[in-house]
Amino acid sequence: MNGGQCIKYFIPIGLVARKAVTESLACWKHGFAEQITDLSLVDDDAFNVVINGYDYDSEESLKTVIDAYLKVRCGASYFDVDGTDVSSWSDKHSKFKAIELNLNMDDVEYNTSLIRFSIEQFITKLKPKYKISGLILTLQGGSVSLDELEAYMTIPRNALDDGITFITNTCFFESAEEQIMTLYFAIKYDF
């Protein structure tokens, strides 16, 4: 299990990116993330994230990508997700959306129904203009068993087309009293 707590250096390109990174880091309470503008400070052993504000269709999309990066390797994780994985999800896309779900830590059946309903509603709103091309499922908060996590992962796998980029990320904290699932969608026009 990855112990997390990996420092991430955000390198914003453009004023919009700098503003979005600054605002996102101000709201992020788990640390291990800094904004730098001096590239000589980049540490080859750290997790370096270049955020080019011109690559996204809106500030919402930009903040969605920043949030997805913030939750990678910040807490204990079953998976070794890194910047390359997140880049494979975000590459060649400009539109990103996130759905945040507050799960019930004691009711797996309720959680699976909530996840299924939320994904179905999201897909319905996208069609016919857009198509989901990637998904990062991030579970943040108190830890869950691998069996429970597998039950949660099965829902988007069954609901989405084959061949999309699908990444599972966990971000567990010992003192967490809640369980939050965030579904980060990469979206493209459906021609």
Side-chain angles (χ1 to χ4, degrees), residues 12-19 51-54:
I13 298 175
L15 293 175
V16 173
R18 188 171 298 131
K19 178 180 180 260
I51 300 291
N52 187 341
Y54 304 104

Side-chain angles (χ1 to χ4, degrees), residues 82-162:
D82 62 17
T84 304
D85 295 315
V86 180
S87 291
S88 71
W89 163 79
S90 65
D91 281 353
K92 300 182 182 114
H93 301 95
S94 65
K95 189 172 191 67
F96 300 88
K97 298 275 186 191
I99 299 173
E100 188 172 283
L101 307 172
N102 291 312
L103 303 182
N104 182 325
M105 291 181 74
D106 300 319
D107 194 341
V108 176
E109 187 175 322
Y110 166 81
N111 294 339
T112 54
S113 296
L114 177 64
I115 297 165
R116 183 176 294 106
F117 175 77
S118 299
I119 290 174
E120 288 171 357
Q121 290 294 98
F122 186 77
I123 291 171
T124 300
K125 288 179 184 177
L126 286 179
K127 290 185 176 182
K129 190 174 181 182
Y130 297 102
K131 177 180 180 178
I132 296 169
S133 54
L135 172 65
I136 299 176
L137 181 154
T138 296
L139 192 59
Q140 177 185 348
S143 64
V144 298
S145 70
L146 278 172
D147 289 339
E148 185 175 338
L149 183 58
E150 183 61 39
Y152 298 156
M153 291 166 43
T154 300
I155 298 164
R157 282 189 187 132
N158 291 340
L160 302 174
D161 297 333
D162 290 334

Side-chain angles (χ1 to χ4, degrees), residues 4 23 151:
E23 289 173 359

Side-chain angles (χ1 to χ4, degrees), residues 2 4 6 9 20 36 61-62 107-108 115 130 133-134 141 190-191:
N2 168 20
C6 175
Y9 291 111
I36 61 172
S61 287
L62 180 58
D107 194 341
V108 176
I115 297 165
Y130 297 102
S133 54
D190 191 6
F191 298 106

